[in-house]
Amino acid sequence: MAKAADRAKNPARSSVWLETNKRSRAARGGSGPAGLDRDRIVVTSIRMLDEEGLAKLSMRRLATELNVTAMSLYWYVDTKDDIIEYALDSCYGEVDLAAVLAADGWRERVRVLALEYRRMLVRHPWMSAVAGQYLNVGPHAIAVGGEIHKAIRDSGLPVSRTPSATSAVFQFVYGYGTIEGQFSRVAQQAGMSQDDFYTDSIAAFREEDQFTGTLEEMSEVLDERLSHGSVDEIWDRDFDYALDVLIAGIEVMVERGRAEAAAERGAQG
Amino acid sequence: MAKAADRAKNPARSSVWLETNKRSRAARGGSGPAGLDRDRIVVTSIRMLDEEGLAKLSMRRLATELNVTAMSLYWYVDTKDDIIEYALDSCYGEVDLAAVLAADGWRERVRVLALEYRRMLVRHPWMSAVAGQYLNVGPHAIAVGGEIHKAIRDSGLPVSRTPSATSAVFQFVYGYGTIEGQFSRVAQQAGMSQDDFYTDSIAAFREEDQFTGTLEEMSEVLDERLSHGSVDEIWDRDFDYALDVLIAGIEVMVERGRAEAAAERGAQG
DNA sequence: ACCTGAACACCGTTCAAGT
DNA sequence: ACCTGAACACCGTTCAAGT
């Protein structure tokens, strides 16, 4: 049941989290003679993905890491995609929702959620490339999505506008976490600190005469940045400021919405 | 020269657009006996990527489409990654920068750029998964980046803040274009209209009792949406509103920046 | 200068067979 | 119930050889 071939026929419901595809056996619980179970598979996958990246994860290499043959894995999952979907949701579980609940007011809740989300993406740089390809409807992803929705809703925006505002905030966080994660991963691969990597990259671009036209414009910006701190500090500072922009924008739109609603009531009464 | 193995050793400069890797021969110009050249390779790649997605593009299938063997491609590019990097930059070339220049004021320029960018991502749903993996320093990508920078700079924000604000706006657009493209691609694969696919998906989720907890919260939002138009209209409406939020936020921060600068001058003078 | 055939070292997945 | 060996139909890339 729920073979890879079947899965492809119904993309709308194509997720390990939906009944149509879920397999009954081996879902969880005790491990077999080889000490294998789905949890161990997922945990090991995440470690390998963090260390070596998406491209290097194969069923055979994963199996070797677990002291088992590749075919054993297929007792616990239907496809390699399933493993990645489980890994994805497991990472969403790292978002500290207790810290969100402890935060005071929607602004602070949005900030905490954004920071937790960003940090998760940076810890697992393979996530961003993959998240868009799945429905992201695992229990942890749904829980995070629910908190995001509630935080934005509490701003006072009309219900019809919360999805849009949510999207503005968290698509930004997603994109920001993606490039930050990419940057730190590539720097690490090059065996450099982020600071060295930054200055080295800029130097490389300046050597290219093809960039002298357009990059000149941004040159003063690039120079200005490192004078204000390390690359790590710049990531934080830029992130905080962008959240300032977004929160200020939401505040304005809340006010506009209230003014419009009042005008409507005035016209009616 | 510039083999795949060499490339991996210097990730900071790992791009077909940087001298270190660029190969001199066959860069452009007339096609060989088989009618092959790099432009044809890139154009065909983009068509195949649009039609069948990233996973299905292989050197062998691409070569077959071009009536040639896979190995011929290696005369024009060093690796499969190179082809994707060329394809990526070629797509950035679809952004209509003339329309941006024709727009009046930074707000309108930001809107036109955002819309052009979003449309490009929806036309080529494979782009989002891939863009983060490369440096994106091809001529077209750089040109687009330059216009984005200039539009945001003209808002009057301090130079030190433009990268952050740019990131807020265009990471949002990137994320938004990604999920919109994903949605339309999956609907198309399922052979459904976007509207049918939307209602069908929601129905599928409602059937799952695991979602009754968290999804209940968002239920009213989901219902509200389709009463206000087609899925296509919702995509447009949400996008416009999110840009309203972002532009309003930038306006507020410009004001704050001016107030702070004035206070500083007052304290000094 | 441009293109190919054969080969290498990999993939994900299936299926029948083992314990 | 859980795990494996062998096999299928693929990959990207290299290298020596063709024209």
Side-chain angles (χ1 to χ4, degrees):
Chain A
M1 281 300 158
K3 298 275 176 62
D6 304 339
R7 193 72 63 82
K9 285 182 191 157
N10 200 350
R13 296 160 192 238
S14 161
S15 165
V16 287
W17 306 109
L18 300 180
E19 286 295 340
T20 329
N21 295 311
K22 226 182 300 173
R23 57 197 304 166
S24 41
R25 56 193 153 95
R28 55 189 60 241
S31 42
L36 207 56
D37 60 30
R38 214 176 59 198
D39 258 21
R40 269 195 75 211
I41 294 176
V42 173
V43 168
T44 308
S45 303
I46 294 176
R47 184 170 50 74
M48 290 179 74
L49 285 164
D50 289 347
E51 286 171 4
E52 312 174 316
L54 191 60
K56 284 233 169 123
L57 184 77
S58 78
M59 295 298 269
R60 292 183 223 258
R61 281 164 50 81
L62 173 56
T64 305
E65 199 74 12
L66 290 160
N67 292 314
V68 102
T69 65
M71 305 77 209
S72 313
L73 302 174
Y74 287 93
W75 184 256
Y76 299 92
V77 294
D78 286 338
T79 68
K80 185 187 173 186
D81 271 356
D82 284 10
I83 295 181
I84 294 175
E85 217 182 336
Y86 284 124
L88 212 50
D89 195 65
S90 171
C91 291
Y92 275 104
E94 294 174 8
V95 171
D96 185 356
L97 294 182
V100 176
L101 291 175
D104 217 41
W106 70 271
R107 278 161 263 251
E108 204 46 33
R109 295 226 303 285
V110 165
R111 283 187 189 280
V112 173
L113 271 166
L115 186 59
E116 285 288 315
Y117 195 9
R118 170 186 162 217
R119 291 218 170 117
M120 175 193 73
L121 288 164
V122 174
R123 268 196 303 272
H124 309 291
W126 50 274
M127 277 196 71
S128 351
V130 138
Q133 323 240 22
Y134 301 91
L135 288 178
N136 284 97
V137 291
H140 292 117
I142 291 279
V144 171
E147 287 308 315
I148 292 175
H149 169 75
K150 286 196 298 199
I152 297 286
R153 187 203 52 193
D154 289 352
S155 69
L157 279 182
V159 219
S160 62
R161 299 311 199 173
T162 52
S164 176
T166 300
S167 158
V169 177
F170 286 91
Q171 299 296 3
F172 154 70
V173 175
Y174 177 79
Y176 198 89
T178 300
I179 55 163
E180 185 184 355
Q182 218 69 20
F183 187 87
S184 98
R185 187 184 60 81
V186 177
Q188 197 183 322
Q189 264 175 22
M192 294 192 230
S193 73
Q194 286 206 40
D195 291 335
D196 289 347
F197 187 70
Y198 180 81
T199 47
D200 189 68
S201 299
I202 292 182
F205 286 121
R206 289 213 215 277
E207 282 167 26
E208 296 285 315
D209 42 331
Q210 52 169 313
F211 296 138
T212 40
T214 332
L215 261 194
E216 226 159 64
E217 294 270 0
M218 307 197 233
S219 207
E220 56 167 333
V221 188
L222 295 174
D223 288 335
E224 191 265 0
R225 301 182 79 64
L226 266 189
S227 65
H228 283 306
S230 68
V231 169
D232 256 330
E233 286 166 336
I234 294 175
W235 283 120
D236 284 343
R237 197 184 56 151
D238 280 1
F239 187 73
D240 289 342
Y241 188 82
L243 286 181
D244 286 348
V245 169
L246 282 154
I247 287 172
I250 291 174
E251 288 169 342
V252 170
M253 297 309 278
V254 168
E255 266 318 305
R256 275 190 213 166
R258 289 207 180 114
E260 276 165 30
E264 225 166 275
R265 273 197 306 278
Q268 280 172 351
Chain B
M1 282 296 160
K3 296 275 178 62
D6 304 340
R7 191 73 63 81
K9 286 183 193 156
N10 199 351
R13 295 159 193 239
S14 160
S15 165
V16 288
W17 306 109
L18 300 180
E19 285 295 338
T20 328
N21 296 311
K22 226 182 300 176
R23 58 197 304 164
S24 40
R25 58 194 152 95
R28 55 189 61 242
S31 43
L36 207 55
D37 60 29
R38 214 176 59 197
D39 258 21
R40 270 196 73 212
I41 294 175
V42 173
V43 168
T44 307
S45 303
I46 294 176
R47 185 170 51 74
M48 290 179 74
L49 286 164
D50 289 347
E51 286 170 4
E52 312 174 317
L54 191 61
K56 285 232 171 125
L57 184 77
S58 79
M59 296 298 268
R60 292 182 223 258
R61 281 164 50 80
L62 172 58
T64 305
E65 198 75 10
L66 290 161
N67 292 314
V68 101
T69 66
M71 305 77 210
S72 313
L73 302 173
Y74 287 93
W75 184 256
Y76 299 92
V77 294
D78 287 338
T79 68
K80 185 187 172 186
D81 271 356
D82 284 11
I83 295 181
I84 293 175
E85 216 182 340
Y86 285 125
L88 213 49
D89 195 66
S90 172
C91 291
Y92 276 103
E94 294 174 9
V95 172
D96 185 356
L97 294 182
V100 177
L101 291 174
D104 218 42
W106 69 272
R107 279 162 261 250
E108 202 47 33
R109 296 227 302 286
V110 165
R111 283 186 187 280
V112 173
L113 270 166
L115 186 58
E116 285 287 316
Y117 196 10
R118 171 186 162 216
R119 292 218 169 115
M120 176 192 73
L121 287 165
V122 174
R123 269 196 302 272
H124 309 292
W126 50 273
M127 278 194 71
S128 349
V130 140
Q133 322 242 22
Y134 301 92
L135 288 177
N136 285 94
V137 292
H140 291 118
I142 291 280
V144 171
E147 287 308 315
I148 291 176
H149 170 75
K150 287 197 297 198
I152 297 285
R153 187 203 52 195
D154 289 353
S155 69
L157 279 181
V159 220
S160 62
R161 299 309 198 174
T162 52
S164 177
T166 299
S167 157
V169 177
F170 286 91
Q171 300 295 3
F172 155 70
V173 175
Y174 177 80
Y176 199 89
T178 301
I179 53 162
E180 185 184 355
Q182 218 68 20
F183 187 87
S184 97
R185 187 183 61 80
V186 178
Q188 198 184 323
Q189 265 176 20
M192 295 193 229
S193 73
Q194 286 207 40
D195 291 334
D196 289 347
F197 187 71
Y198 180 81
T199 48
D200 189 69
S201 298
I202 292 182
F205 286 122
R206 288 213 215 276
E207 281 167 27
E208 296 285 315
D209 41 331
Q210 53 170 312
F211 295 138
T212 40
T214 332
L215 261 193
E216 227 159 64
E217 293 271 359
M218 307 197 231
S219 207
E220 57 168 332
V221 188
L222 296 174
D223 288 335
E224 191 265 359
R225 299 181 81 64
L226 266 189
S227 65
H228 283 308
S230 68
V231 169
D232 255 331
E233 286 165 337
I234 294 175
W235 283 120
D236 283 344
R237 197 185 57 152
D238 281 1
F239 188 73
D240 289 343
Y241 187 82
L243 285 181
D244 286 347
V245 169
L246 282 154
I247 288 172
I250 291 174
E251 288 169 343
V252 170
M253 297 309 278
V254 168
E255 265 318 304
R256 276 190 212 165
R258 289 206 180 114
E260 276 166 29
E264 225 165 277
R265 274 197 307 278
Q268 282 172 352

